[in-house]
């Protein structure tokens, strides 16, 4: 005969992000199923951020498509017209410069006027070179590197959107298991964080009695041994179970354990797993274990 207390597994649930709690949907004692919604955080800032990111993606998609399509015929013709205008300016500047050169030779104009004519010609030549290069580039279209850069920016925006949508999903606290709510630790309006549990949920399908046995009697038990668990509330209705775990490390007897041996003696922890079909066992309940 061993003496111990009922123990159960429990899950401590917390949000993955820090935000103010909007809703708490279950109370202590409520039974929950896996994936049931338990609580939510305020999500308006994330929703607005997602809308902004979606707009940025649409804009960048248009940029990528424009680069892939290349120059429009109208843009090429516009570049050609600017090039023809630059050619006309160049020819006019050349003629003007030649006239000024003749006049300068005959001392009809000053050196300043000759320098102005030369500067005008150089500017026209530079404008013509620029117009020709612009026309050439418009015919070729965007560089492959520019398209790759735009596509990389689009990829980054999409990845950022996925992250924001994931963060939005984390504003909902879902139950990972079937169980019973043991504790409701926060309320709407509280600031949640990953370090602050919101609920404690007890796992009902696994219950055991944590008992202790002295070293002298350790050889009398083994894993799988049948056992009966008796509680004070139902002394005539033993619950069937079996030994499932025997510690391989000795420890001093906990103060909560009552045995015939002295409290200073060394004992080993034993877990007797039970089938509590009627759900009568509660966390911490004293129990007597009879090994069969």
């Amino acid at each position: 005969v061993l003496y111990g207390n009922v123990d159960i597994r429990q899950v401590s649930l917390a949000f993955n992000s820090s935000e103010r709690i909007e809703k708490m949907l279950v109370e202590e004692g409520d039974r929950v199923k896996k994936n049931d919604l338990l609580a939510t955080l305020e999500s308006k800032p994330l929703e607005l951020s997602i809308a902004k990111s979606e707009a940025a993606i649409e804009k960048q998609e248009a940029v990528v498509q424009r680069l892939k399509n290349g120059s429009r015929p109208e843009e090429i013709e516009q570049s050609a017209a600017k090039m023809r205008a630059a050619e006309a300016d160049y020819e006019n500047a050349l003629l003007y410069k030649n006239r000024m050169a003749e006049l300068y030779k005959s001392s009809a104009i000053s050196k300043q006027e000759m320098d102005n004519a030369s500067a005008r010609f150089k500017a026209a030549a530079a404008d013509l070179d620029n117009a020709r290069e612009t026309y050439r580039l418009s015919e070729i279209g965007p560089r492959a590197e520019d398209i790759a850069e735009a596509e990389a920016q689009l990829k980054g925006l999409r990845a950022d959107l996925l992250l924001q949508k994931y963060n939005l999903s984390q504003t909902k606290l879902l139950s990972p298991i079937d169980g019973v709510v043991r504790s409701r630790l926060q309320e709407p309006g509280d600031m949640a964080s990953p370090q602050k549990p919101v609920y404690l949920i007890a796992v009902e399908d696994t219950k055991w009695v944590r008992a202790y046995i002295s070293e002298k009697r350790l050889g009398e038990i083994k894993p799988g041994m049948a056992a009966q668990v008796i509680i004070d509330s139902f002394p005539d209705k033993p619950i069937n179970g079996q030994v499932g775990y025997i510690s391989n490390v000795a420890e001093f007897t906990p103060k909560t354990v009552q045995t015939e041996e002295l409290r200073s003696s060394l004992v080993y922890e034993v877990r007797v797993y039970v089938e509590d079909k009627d759900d009568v066992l509660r966390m911490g309940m004293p129990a007597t274990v009879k090994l069969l």
Side-chain angles (χ1 to χ4, degrees):
V1 177
L2 303 178
Y3 304 91
N5 299 86
V6 176
D7 205 349
I8 60 177
R9 289 192 176 95
Q10 63 182 17
V11 180
S12 178
L13 298 182
F15 286 102
N16 283 340
S17 57
S18 298
E19 186 55 80
R20 202 163 297 281
I21 297 175
E22 183 178 41
K23 296 178 182 178
M24 299 283 289
L25 303 175
V26 293
E27 303 286 346
E28 286 93 345
D30 289 350
R31 296 184 181 274
V32 296
K33 297 292 185 180
K34 184 177 181 179
N35 293 325
D36 280 355
L37 181 62
L38 306 181
T40 61
L41 297 177
E42 293 180 359
S43 59
K44 191 64 176 178
L46 278 174
E47 292 171 356
L48 294 175
S49 181
I50 287 174
K52 182 179 179 181
S53 295
E54 288 174 341
I57 288 175
E58 291 180 3
K59 179 181 178 181
Q60 190 63 24
E61 286 175 342
V63 171
V64 172
Q65 190 61 44
R66 184 178 72 246
L67 291 174
K68 287 184 175 181
N69 290 338
S71 302
R72 294 177 298 176
E74 295 83 359
E75 292 174 334
I76 296 175
E77 179 56 33
Q78 185 181 43
S79 296
K82 291 181 178 180
M83 183 180 67
R84 290 192 293 269
E87 289 174 344
D89 289 341
Y90 174 80
E91 292 175 359
N92 186 44
L94 178 60
L95 293 174
Y96 181 74
K97 175 192 173 187
N98 291 336
R99 287 198 303 268
M100 291 297 102
E102 292 296 329
L103 293 174
Y104 181 69
K105 289 180 182 179
S106 62
S107 301
I109 62 172
S110 64
K111 188 176 185 305
Q112 179 63 47
E113 290 177 307
M114 183 62 213
D115 291 341
N116 290 341
S118 297
R120 175 180 171 183
F121 170 74
K122 291 179 181 180
D127 290 342
L128 177 58
D129 289 341
N130 184 58
R132 284 174 175 171
E133 184 64 18
T134 301
Y135 175 71
R136 186 182 70 84
L137 292 176
S138 66
E139 283 191 315
I140 295 174
R143 297 167 56 184
E145 294 85 348
D146 293 336
I147 296 175
E149 181 183 5
E151 289 179 334
Q153 291 176 354
L154 178 59
K155 185 178 180 180
L157 290 173
R158 287 173 174 168
D160 185 61
L161 178 62
L162 289 177
L163 177 60
Q164 292 180 21
K165 287 185 175 181
Y166 170 78
N167 290 335
L168 180 62
S169 71
Q170 298 305 299
T171 61
K172 296 180 179 180
L173 187 63
L174 305 179
S175 175
I177 57 169
D178 297 346
V180 177
V181 178
R182 285 199 58 212
S183 299
R184 172 170 162 155
L185 304 175
Q186 297 195 57
E187 295 297 329
D190 287 340
M191 183 61 71
S193 73
Q195 294 76 30
K196 296 172 62 176
V198 179
Y199 286 108
L200 291 180
I201 297 182
V203 184
E204 287 193 300
D205 58 356
T206 304
K207 296 181 181 179
W208 68 88
V209 175
R210 188 190 306 273
Y212 295 86
I213 189 169
S214 65
E215 185 177 2
K216 293 180 180 180
R217 308 197 66 181
L218 185 61
E220 300 178 20
I221 64 172
K222 61 182 179 179
M225 180 180 289
Q228 288 184 336
V229 174
I230 301 171
I231 58 176
D232 296 340
S233 299
F234 302 99
D236 298 328
K237 295 181 179 180
I239 302 173
N240 294 326
Q242 65 177 14
V243 177
Y245 169 78
I246 302 174
S247 174
N248 56 5
V249 179
E251 56 184 291
F252 286 103
T253 309
K255 292 182 179 180
T256 57
V257 177
Q258 301 291 337
T259 64
E260 296 178 359
E261 291 81 1
L262 297 175
R263 292 189 180 276
S264 61
S265 62
L266 293 177
V267 293
Y268 292 81
E269 179 185 340
V270 178
R271 295 182 187 178
V272 178
Y273 292 90
V274 297
E275 298 177 2
D276 185 20
K277 296 180 180 180
D278 296 328
D279 191 26
V280 297
L281 299 181
R282 296 292 182 267
M283 178 76 171
M285 180 182 288
T288 301
V289 178
K290 291 184 179 181
L291 300 178
L292 305 179

